[in-house]
Amino acid sequence: MHEPIRKIIHIDMDAFYASVEQRDNPSLRGKPVVVGGLPGSRGVVATCSYEARAYGIHSALPASKAYKRCPHAIFIKPDMEKYRQVSKQVMEIFRSCTDLVEPLSLDEAYLDVTVNKWGIRSAAETAKEIKRRIAEELHLTASAGVSYNKFLAKVGSGYRKPNGLVVIPPGKAQEFIDRLPIGKFFGVGEVTEKLFVGLGIRNGADLRKLSLEELTRICGKRGAILYQHVRGIDDRPVTPNRPRKSIGKETTLSVDVSDFEEMSQIIRELSHSVSRRLMMNERYAGRVTLKVKFSDFTQVSKSITVGRPVQDEISINRVALELLESVPMNGRFVRLLGITASKLVAHHEATVDEPFEQLTLF
Ligand code: DCP
Ligand code: MG
């Protein structure tokens, strides 16, 4: 007997931090709102309202650049405590539908609604009901993708943002995938995208012409996953969050760099991202590791065990920069940078009474 076809929903809140700010302060509605580092600081944009996106502002953009693109935007410092609260309410709505909820960040989760507590048969109707509750109870909007696996559900939710609902039934999947731009595939970042485009592979249809061997040659282990996804196959189950041993993020640079300032900008973005995931998991890191891969593919990892576990991006950035300074560069070019937080401890175990501003004098 075959397993029944699953019903998977991926939901992602629209412009999450910015929408919460606009919701709570009506004078911000309809305006370009940027949440994150303030202009003049070295911080990055966490997110911005759709009105701000029209000016080319986006997540991870340095705040100074955001200011140049739209000087009349309203810049707001993130209120993580508030977003965490709202996130809990959102996840609460998801869990009232099914126990099979897998959060990916504060504002996004996979749901397996094959069997659900509301007894709704149609996954599309289930997604509508979730969106309706988010609107009614939280006065916020979300976008949802509905399909029979995670890959397609996630692509669906990003397809018609904001406030979208995209259903990809099995019979429509291949046609949808064939038209999908290469950059939308799981694990295809900017660098891999360029590589594919250079080979004339622009969408799913092009990608599907490659053999498993060719794909593995081009992008290693990820090739096997792509081979399956482009055929509409993705058996990953929806798993409610397992406790993590470490949280890491790395980036392959689009061009190899040797300039310290450029590297520190990347480190800043990585610190931000690792910090965000620590916050979401309510964990502090006792150890921070920096990985540097050079253009000749040799690599160095350096770690520091910190006296006081860290979570905020400024502290992580400070430690990572210290590590970067300790790596002998010898004029080499860097092609990849990564930061991993480990020795994770729970919120309450860490001493947090000392204001971290003391540590930010770099
Ligand atoms: N976030 C962040 N830094 C990033 C990306 C996101 O701090 N580089 C935060 C702010 C976002 C939230 O996480 O509000 C959710 O991230 P999303 O990628 O889902 O972005 P948004 O919800 O803001 O916008 P949308 O999903 O509508 O594109
Ligand atoms: Mg979102």
Side-chain angles (χ1 to χ4, degrees):
M1 282 290 281
H2 284 291
E3 301 265 321
I5 289 175
R6 293 180 297 160
K7 294 171 186 166
I8 310 292
I9 300 176
H10 178 264
I11 302 209
D12 187 320
M13 303 294 291
D14 300 319
F16 185 47
Y17 300 178
S19 304
V20 171
E21 297 299 342
Q22 287 180 320
R23 176 192 75 174
D24 295 349
N25 179 353
S27 75
L28 299 177
R29 292 184 197 158
K31 294 190 182 148
V33 172
V34 179
V35 182
L38 302 182
S41 81
R42 293 160 69 92
V44 295
V45 173
T47 192
C48 59
S49 65
Y50 278 77
E51 293 85 353
R53 293 183 197 198
Y55 294 87
I57 301 176
H58 56 80
S59 295
L61 190 73
S64 51
K65 282 197 185 159
Y67 180 76
K68 279 192 201 122
R69 290 184 190 182
C70 182
H72 68 279
I74 301 153
F75 288 79
I76 302 177
K77 276 216 274 191
D79 180 348
M80 292 312 304
E81 212 30 67
K82 177 151 87 177
Y83 312 142
R84 228 196 320 258
Q85 284 309 317
V86 181
S87 171
K88 286 210 167 108
Q89 296 174 309
V90 173
M91 299 296 161
E92 214 39 55
I93 293 179
F94 297 164
R95 290 200 183 92
S96 71
C97 173
T98 170
D99 288 330
L100 289 178
V101 176
E102 180 179 339
L104 297 178
S105 71
L106 286 182
D107 86 322
E108 145 190 33
Y110 289 114
L111 283 67
D112 186 328
V113 299
T114 314
V115 180
N116 65 73
K117 301 180 193 175
W118 298 339
I120 306 178
R121 293 274 294 270
S122 148
E125 287 305 319
T126 312
K128 256 190 217 161
E129 176 61 14
I130 293 171
K131 276 164 57 75
R132 198 190 62 73
R133 291 194 190 201
I134 290 174
E136 189 178 293
E137 295 170 23
L138 307 178
H139 305 287
L140 291 168
T141 64
S143 297
V146 180
S147 195
Y148 60 94
N149 65 35
K150 282 181 163 183
F151 163 59
L152 288 168
K154 175 140 178 154
V155 173
S157 75
Y159 204 70
R160 227 169 261 152
K161 259 184 168 294
N163 203 9
L165 172 64
V166 172
V167 184
I168 307 170
K172 292 268 169 63
Q174 196 58 62
E175 184 193 333
F176 185 88
I177 295 167
D178 283 351
R179 279 188 283 125
L180 198 62
I182 189 71
K184 300 277 184 197
F185 282 84
F186 178 77
V188 179
E190 257 174 68
V191 174
T192 318
E193 178 178 5
K194 275 202 191 123
L195 193 73
F196 275 125
V197 170
L199 294 167
I201 296 155
R202 299 180 172 279
N203 55 32
D206 298 336
L207 187 64
R208 199 146 58 89
K209 291 184 191 127
L210 298 181
S211 69
L212 180 57
E213 291 68 32
E214 285 170 316
L215 261 173
T216 317
R217 213 177 319 121
I218 295 169
C219 46
K221 276 185 297 195
R222 268 179 293 165
I225 297 173
L226 278 176
Y227 185 83
Q228 295 219 313
H229 285 186
V230 76
R231 288 166 178 76
I233 303 165
D234 175 10
D235 293 328
R236 288 174 298 160
V238 174
T239 32
N241 268 358
R242 60 253 161 219
R244 301 182 153 275
K245 283 224 159 69
S246 68
I247 286 174
K249 169 90 178 159
E250 56 182 47
T251 314
T252 304
L253 314 182
S254 47
V255 283
D256 297 356
V257 299
S258 65
D259 177 52
F260 191 83
E261 195 40 51
E262 272 178 62
M263 283 188 252
S264 13
Q265 180 57 42
I266 309 279
I267 299 275
R268 210 145 41 222
E269 288 165 24
L270 292 170
S271 305
H272 171 74
S273 160
V274 168
S275 162
R276 189 154 65 92
R277 287 172 57 202
L278 283 169
M279 274 190 248
M280 172 191 147
N281 288 280
E282 301 189 321
R283 288 291 177 277
Y284 286 69
R287 192 174 174 79
V288 176
T289 304
L290 175 77
K291 173 164 127 187
V292 181
K293 200 187 267 183
F294 296 99
S295 48
D296 61 3
F297 283 82
T298 55
Q299 75 175 53
V300 181
S301 281
K302 296 251 178 193
S303 302
I304 296 184
T305 297
V306 290
R308 180 188 298 279
V310 288
Q311 184 189 57
D312 66 282
E313 62 182 279
I314 295 172
S315 303
I316 294 172
N317 188 48
R318 184 182 51 84
V319 176
L321 279 183
E322 232 173 84
L323 288 167
L324 183 66
E325 279 167 0
S326 74
V327 175
M329 292 291 166
N330 304 324
R332 285 177 292 179
F333 281 75
V334 170
R335 76 179 308 266
L336 176 147
L337 288 166
I339 295 178
T340 302
S342 57
K343 290 200 180 161
L344 305 184
V345 291
H347 204 198
H348 55 87
E349 288 167 42
T351 343
V352 289
D353 47 355
E354 192 175 307
F356 65 73
E357 271 76 11
Q358 291 183 8
L359 306 170
T360 63
L361 305 167
F362 66 93

